[in-house]
Amino acid sequence: FAVMYTFGNVVSVLSTGFLIGFLSQLKKMFDPSRLVAALIFIGSMIATLVVAFTIHSFILTLICCIVQWLALFWYSASYIPFARDLIKKCLGGVM
């Protein structure tokens, strides 16, 4: 599951690059407002594949998938105006 999920995310990023242009996609991904989320997302995809193919640990793979999903969620929210602020307010009220 984790490998297919990660490849799905890679295809998703590549498809948006195909639609808007790969250079434009890279510029938007590494914009200062998205840099941390993009790096965590890319790092978690790499970590998921490394753990799934080499370590074969179910728990670590699951943790990597959860981090990957959270990073993708936060990265995607950066494209919606004020979405990150709304998420912070909602989670701030819960915690």
Side-chain angles (χ1 to χ4, degrees):
F1 167 76
V3 173
M4 297 307 262
Y5 177 70
T6 302
F7 284 140
N9 282 334
V10 169
V11 169
S12 176
V13 170
L14 290 176
S15 66
T16 57
F18 178 76
L19 290 174
I20 65 170
F22 292 107
L23 187 59
S24 176
Q25 172 74 15
L26 286 174
K27 285 180 183 177
K28 289 182 180 185
M29 277 184 81
F30 295 107
D31 182 66
S33 65
R34 296 183 184 99
L35 181 63
V36 174
L39 290 176
I40 292 172
F41 179 55
I42 292 168
S44 64
M45 286 194 294
I46 293 168
T48 301
L49 293 175
V50 168
V51 169
F53 284 129
T54 60
I55 300 174
H56 304 290
S57 170
F58 174 76
I59 298 297
L60 284 177
T61 305
L62 184 63
I63 290 169
C64 287
C65 282
I66 291 169
V67 170
Q68 189 178 148
W69 184 84
L70 290 171
L72 176 61
F73 180 75
W74 192 249
Y75 171 74
S76 298
S78 72
Y79 284 95
I80 303 169
F82 303 108
R84 285 182 168 180
D85 294 332
L86 179 66
I87 294 167
K88 287 178 187 177
K89 286 182 183 179
C90 289
L91 291 177
V94 172
M95 296 176 159

